[in-house]
Amino acid sequence: MRKTTLALIVFFFVTGSATIAYLLEQSTFGTWFNALYWVMTTMATVGYGDFFATTVGGKLFTLFLYIFGIGLLSLVIGKVIDSIGSIQRQREAGTLSYHGRDHVIIMNWSKKAKSAVQEILTYDEKAQIVIIDELERHPIKDLHQVHFISGDPSAEDVLRKAGLETAKAAIVFADTRIEDTSLIDGKSLMIASSIERIAPQVHTTVEIMHEKHIQNFRFVQVNEFVLSHDAISSLAVRAALQEGNSAVINQLISREQGDDIYEVPRKSEWRTYGDAFQDLLRQGATLLADRSDLSINRRLNDPIPSEARLYVVSDEATYRRIAGKP
């Protein structure tokens, strides 16, 4: 039975029963609303005894409600429970579409993707995340703010089910289940191309296996590239040759450790990088870069361009105070 049909049957049964009860026992109920109240409490088997039938016709109608009304209500309750269970099963299977906004989409499930989910939630515990992978079951179903879409991340219908057009960012992790590294980057390229075609405004970050493959992405507007093995190798060498170097880097790339990198709004009184540097330093933050330009500490007398995006190193409390956030 369709849900709409069942809802209409229940509606007409309840209102019709309330009308019949009122016509049979006007002196008992006084108003149609009291009759409706009596019908609902009778069907729910929680009758309080404040209203009850006194005529033969009323009592016979009460027996009718006991048999058919309670049965109908049980059917409705069963349908509701079954619907909730069905939604939960669809959620776990990744067949439900996501309809939110400003969420982060993570593609290709792996240990790195799991770490990314934890890092995002550490940054913002209310963040909404959508995972796209060809798994058969939700990989972390215990987190209610993490949604799962089962399917090929490069397929248009799958990306639309994940709400790509209203997403804030998309992160494409390398699918290390593929043995050939060239094919891994090839799959990432297909996904990035699909994102660009459907929602070019979404900030896209792609993990690639080899730096030489970046040139293959030249026609796709990928915002950021992350080198997979190269970054790990570099960090290992720094840790071996420069004691404490890796600890500093770990603090900057993980929100759970020490200070972090934040973008701060530019103030009108900051004419040069030096003005911004000194003012931020007095507030407990260190000016680090303008976009990807890390050389601004050697150009403190240069004027700050209008399109500048300034990044600082600080703790969260300092950043919130500088940015004027509660």
Side-chain angles (χ1 to χ4, degrees):
M1 183 181 294
R2 295 180 58 183
K3 296 177 182 178
T4 304
T5 304
L6 180 59
L8 289 174
I9 290 173
V10 172
F11 173 78
F12 287 117
F13 183 88
V14 171
T15 55
S17 296
T19 302
I20 294 172
Y22 176 64
L23 294 175
L24 291 174
E25 299 273 350
Q26 292 190 40
S27 59
T28 299
F29 299 117
T31 66
W32 182 86
F33 180 79
N34 286 338
L36 175 65
Y37 163 78
W38 173 79
V39 168
M40 293 300 297
T41 56
T42 301
M43 289 177 62
T45 68
V46 293
Y48 297 108
D50 46 353
F51 294 104
F52 55 89
T54 58
T55 66
V56 174
K59 292 177 180 179
L60 289 173
F61 186 68
T62 303
L63 293 175
F64 170 80
L65 283 182
Y66 286 157
I67 297 172
F68 295 98
I70 295 174
L72 181 60
L73 186 60
S74 299
L75 176 62
V76 172
I77 294 173
K79 287 289 185 181
V80 170
I81 294 174
D82 183 62
S83 295
I84 294 173
S86 176
I87 292 173
Q88 183 62 27
R89 289 191 294 273
Q90 291 179 63
R91 179 180 182 272
E92 291 182 9
T95 58
L96 286 178
S97 297
Y98 182 79
H99 300 290
R101 302 184 63 85
D102 298 326
H103 51 291
V104 178
I105 300 177
I106 293 178
M107 306 178 196
N108 295 326
W109 185 247
S110 63
K111 290 183 178 180
K112 285 178 284 187
K114 184 177 181 179
S115 298
V117 170
Q118 295 171 344
E119 189 72 17
I120 292 170
L121 295 179
T122 301
Y123 185 85
D124 180 6
E125 60 183 14
K126 296 181 179 179
Q128 297 295 311
I129 302 170
V130 178
I131 297 169
I132 303 179
D133 194 88
E134 295 181 76
L135 295 170
E136 295 181 356
R137 286 287 179 264
H138 198 312
I140 42 176
K141 59 185 178 182
D142 54 321
L143 294 176
H144 69 276
Q145 66 267 59
V146 179
H147 194 83
F148 171 59
I149 299 293
S150 178
D152 181 358
S154 64
E156 180 176 342
D157 61 326
V158 173
L159 291 173
R160 293 191 185 279
K161 284 181 68 175
L164 176 66
E165 293 167 303
T166 57
K168 177 170 61 176
I171 304 174
V172 182
F173 282 102
D175 190 348
T176 53
R177 292 165 294 192
I178 302 174
E179 294 183 1
D180 190 326
T181 56
S182 295
L183 294 179
I184 294 175
D185 285 342
K187 179 178 179 180
S188 298
L189 177 58
M190 289 179 59
I191 297 172
S193 299
S194 297
I195 295 173
E196 166 63 18
R197 186 180 73 256
I198 299 170
Q201 78 283 359
V202 174
H203 188 281
T204 306
T205 302
V206 178
E207 177 192 15
I208 60 174
M209 302 301 291
H210 296 294
E211 187 174 6
K212 64 181 181 180
H213 292 157
I214 290 180
Q215 61 181 342
N216 297 327
F217 290 76
R218 62 185 181 275
F219 297 117
V220 182
Q221 293 183 358
V222 174
N223 300 92
E224 310 282 350
F225 289 101
V226 177
L227 298 177
S228 183
H229 299 314
D230 294 354
I232 296 172
S233 300
S234 177
L235 186 57
V237 171
R238 290 171 182 270
L241 301 182
Q242 302 177 22
E243 183 179 351
N245 188 299
S246 63
V248 173
I249 296 174
N250 282 331
Q251 287 191 45
L252 295 179
I253 64 176
S254 176
R255 190 173 175 82
E256 294 182 343
Q257 304 183 41
D259 288 356
D260 205 347
I261 298 175
Y262 299 94
E263 181 180 358
V264 296
R266 176 187 175 187
K267 295 184 179 180
S268 58
E269 59 267 27
W270 295 345
R271 302 297 181 185
T272 65
Y273 289 121
D275 295 338
F277 184 89
Q278 295 299 329
D279 186 27
L280 290 167
L281 193 62
R282 284 191 293 269
Q283 298 182 67
T286 302
L287 181 62
L288 180 67
D290 176 0
R291 296 180 184 267
S292 60
D293 185 0
L294 292 168
S295 68
I296 60 174
N297 63 338
R298 297 188 294 273
R299 300 188 288 109
L300 296 180
N301 292 326
D302 289 2
I304 302 176
S306 58
E307 69 277 8
R309 295 182 63 177
L310 304 179
Y311 293 90
V312 301
V313 176
S314 73
D315 60 16
E316 184 176 4
T318 301
Y319 159 69
R320 289 188 174 278
R321 185 173 65 252
I322 293 172
K325 295 187 176 182

